[in-house]
Amino acid sequence: DDDDDDDDDNNNINNKTSNNNCEGAYSVDVNQLLSIAVDNGNDGSSNTLKDTLEEAVLAIRENLSISQATAVRKTTDNSILAGYVHGKVCDFAGTSAALVEIASIAPNNNREDMKEIGKKLAMHVVAAKPTYLSPSDIPEDVLQKEKTILMEQMTDSGKPAHILEKIVNGRLRKFYESVCLTEQAHLVEEGNPKISKALAQHGVEVKFFKYNSILP
């Protein structure tokens, strides 16, 4: 199976990227990262990340390099980080990956349950590739550009301005569903509920996500 996941309080994944701003994210020196020891598995041995990366290059016969790296720490005591790696080429890397931070908004959430919720959300991010966390995170210039496109599509409709505005707002909801994580249908949950509603039912909210891929 080439698909796997990873979740912990501290996760590093890093060339196509989608993410929203995160207070706990900071850049990592690539040379320092390459010198970190990586566990080889059950035999207890380890190599540096640089050596492991070189082994992966030989295994898949493709050039691999780390151009930049970001470390992420959870931002609140009641949150966890969860990740998913797709198309694994070694124990820690694949063709695409996602990292999410979810926080408990219910008093008695089980940590293991939250890890599973977070893993499923990270799997969704890899599949759906959202660009923004929520509609409020869309830059104003991006939103105005989309509104202009929608209005131009109805220039010759002959409808009054207030009707056009309602139509545009309705179509903007479709736009939100295509680019905003909280507005998307959950591709991993049964019945594909809206992400924000599905998380609320579990007593959690998503604080942050990051998606990376080496695929076009």
Side-chain angles (χ1 to χ4, degrees), residues 6-12 26 72-74 81 99:
D6 181 33
D7 48 50
D8 201 352
D9 285 350
N10 292 279
N11 292 266
N12 300 329
Y26 59 94
V72 178
R73 292 194 180 101
K74 65 179 188 175
L81 297 176
L99 181 68

Side-chain angles (χ1 to χ4, degrees), residues 19-137:
N19 66 277
N20 57 291
N21 293 329
C22 175
E23 296 175 3
Y26 59 94
S27 296
V28 176
D29 180 83
V30 172
N31 290 327
Q32 290 182 354
L33 181 65
L34 290 171
S35 67
I36 291 175
V38 177
D39 188 354
N40 284 335
N42 296 329
D43 62 0
S45 64
S46 64
N47 288 331
T48 65
L49 178 58
K50 180 180 180 181
D51 291 337
T52 306
L53 195 63
E54 289 173 352
E55 290 175 5
V57 169
L58 292 174
I60 66 173
R61 299 183 182 278
E62 294 285 348
N63 186 37
L64 296 173
S65 63
I66 300 176
S67 58
Q68 62 178 353
T70 302
V72 178
R73 292 194 180 101
K74 65 179 188 175
T75 57
T76 64
D77 291 337
N78 64 336
S79 67
I80 67 162
L81 297 176
Y84 172 73
V85 178
H86 181 78
K88 289 188 68 176
V89 296
C90 59
D91 285 342
F92 60 87
T95 56
S96 55
L99 181 68
V100 300
E101 180 185 7
I102 59 171
S104 174
I105 55 175
N108 299 311
N109 268 331
N110 179 281
R111 181 179 174 81
E112 293 304 313
D113 290 342
M114 288 181 64
K115 284 185 176 183
E116 183 63 21
I117 294 166
K119 173 187 172 182
K120 288 183 177 180
L121 184 60
M123 292 171 70
H124 166 87
V125 170
V126 168
K129 305 174 182 62
T131 306
Y132 308 104
L133 181 65
S134 67
S136 63
D137 295 300

Side-chain angles (χ1 to χ4, degrees), residues 110-175:
N110 179 281
R111 181 179 174 81
E112 293 304 313
D113 290 342
M114 288 181 64
K115 284 185 176 183
E116 183 63 21
I117 294 166
K119 173 187 172 182
K120 288 183 177 180
L121 184 60
M123 292 171 70
H124 166 87
V125 170
V126 168
K129 305 174 182 62
T131 306
Y132 308 104
L133 181 65
S134 67
S136 63
D137 295 300
I138 301 176
E140 185 61 29
D141 60 326
V142 174
L143 190 58
Q144 287 302 321
K145 181 179 179 180
E146 185 65 22
K147 286 182 177 180
T148 299
I149 292 173
L150 293 174
M151 289 296 288
E152 289 176 349
Q153 291 174 352
M154 297 181 292
T155 301
D156 300 324
S157 66
K159 292 182 173 62
H162 69 283
I163 298 296
L164 291 178
E165 187 70 20
K166 289 182 178 180
I167 295 173
V168 167
N169 289 335
R171 293 185 179 180
L172 276 177
R173 283 195 290 271
K174 292 293 185 182
F175 173 66

